[in-house]
Amino acid sequence: MRSLAELISEDRSAWAEVEAAVSGSPFAVEILSTDPDRAAACLQRLQVTTKSWLGSLVYLSGGLVVDDGWLRVLGSGHPQRRLPDIHTVNAGFTGAGLVVAQDVMGGEFVWRQGEGPAPTIHYFAPDTLGWEDLGLGYTDWLYGMLSGAIDQFYLSWRWPGWQDEVAGIPFDAGLHTLPPLFTAEGKDIAEVSRRPIPMTQLVSVLHDFADQLGA
């Protein structure tokens, strides 16, 4: 295992690139602060250097809150704002790879090995209960989402007034819908019943459905 000193790169940190992407984003993006001791522990456990976007984000932020809280990119966590750290989220994940972000609907972005030579981001979709390989590495995926891809990615999931509704949901919670999004009756998200529940519970429910239905 590499030491903390080996993981921290002061002269080649990717953090300036992350900050530039955040500053240039058309969406509201909040960089959550972090506790230095917690950040150091998270980075050492992750074993990724700060030369990477993932390593620098985990070490220098509690996470990113994007588009009124619709997307939560995991870092070293912010207990006061109720965003868990990346390792806490992954402690409850039983699949292959590393969960790097979650969205308010219970979707998960997981960095794992796919068909190609390098790991890519895979998305677990609440409306299909299936996994999709987005074909992008962590840096390209996050840059794309911050640059505007969120609008197209979630085009069919936006309803009138969603911003105010999502902004009021804690960062450790997501929206449970009835009927569920993966049913024919639940496809029109503006017409379904929506209520916040703990994210761990929402994700568990969705994966249980996926297992039961063989998705």
Side-chain angles (χ1 to χ4, degrees):
M1 177 179 286
R2 288 177 289 182
S3 69
L4 183 62
E6 293 174 299
L7 298 172
I8 298 173
S9 176
E10 299 289 353
D11 57 334
R12 295 180 58 192
S13 171
W15 183 243
E17 297 175 8
V18 176
E19 287 187 309
V22 168
S23 297
S25 177
F27 311 113
V29 183
E30 182 181 3
I31 300 175
L32 299 183
S33 62
T34 188
D35 172 78
D37 291 338
R38 185 173 65 249
C42 280
L43 183 66
Q44 188 158 24
R45 184 174 173 188
L46 191 63
Q47 288 290 292
V48 174
T49 76
T50 57
K51 296 177 184 178
S52 69
W53 278 38
L54 175 58
S56 63
L57 198 150
V58 166
Y59 184 59
L60 293 167
S61 82
L64 303 182
V65 178
V66 187
D67 210 7
D68 296 296
W70 186 283
L71 177 67
R72 300 90 179 261
V73 183
L74 301 172
S76 50
H78 195 297
Q80 291 76 24
R81 300 294 298 280
R82 296 173 59 175
L83 184 70
D85 68 76
I86 192 168
H87 298 300
T88 297
V89 171
N90 278 276
F93 181 64
T94 58
L98 182 76
V99 181
V100 295
Q102 297 174 315
D103 61 48
V104 73
M105 305 309 299
E108 293 180 293
F109 294 90
V110 175
W111 187 49
R112 71 184 185 197
Q113 191 65 48
E115 298 291 334
T120 53
I121 297 293
H122 294 65
Y123 181 64
F124 176 75
D127 61 337
T128 66
L129 300 181
W131 287 96
E132 178 185 359
D133 184 352
L134 303 184
L136 298 171
Y138 179 89
T139 298
D140 289 339
W141 163 77
L142 182 53
Y143 180 80
M145 295 302 267
L146 292 175
S147 297
I150 287 179
D151 277 342
Q152 188 63 34
F153 195 83
Y154 294 111
L155 184 62
S156 63
W157 292 2
R158 299 295 175 83
W159 63 94
W162 69 266
Q163 293 96 333
D164 290 338
E165 187 172 342
V166 170
I169 299 173
F171 300 147
D172 60 354
L175 278 176
H176 180 264
T177 64
L178 283 176
L181 297 182
F182 58 84
T183 65
E185 298 82 2
K187 294 304 181 186
D188 187 350
I189 195 169
E191 299 298 323
V192 301
S193 169
R194 302 178 298 272
R195 67 181 180 90
I197 64 172
M199 183 62 78
T200 53
Q201 181 182 346
L202 177 58
V203 168
S204 177
V205 166
L206 291 172
H207 282 285
D208 284 347
F209 274 124
D211 290 342
Q212 293 168 20
L213 298 174

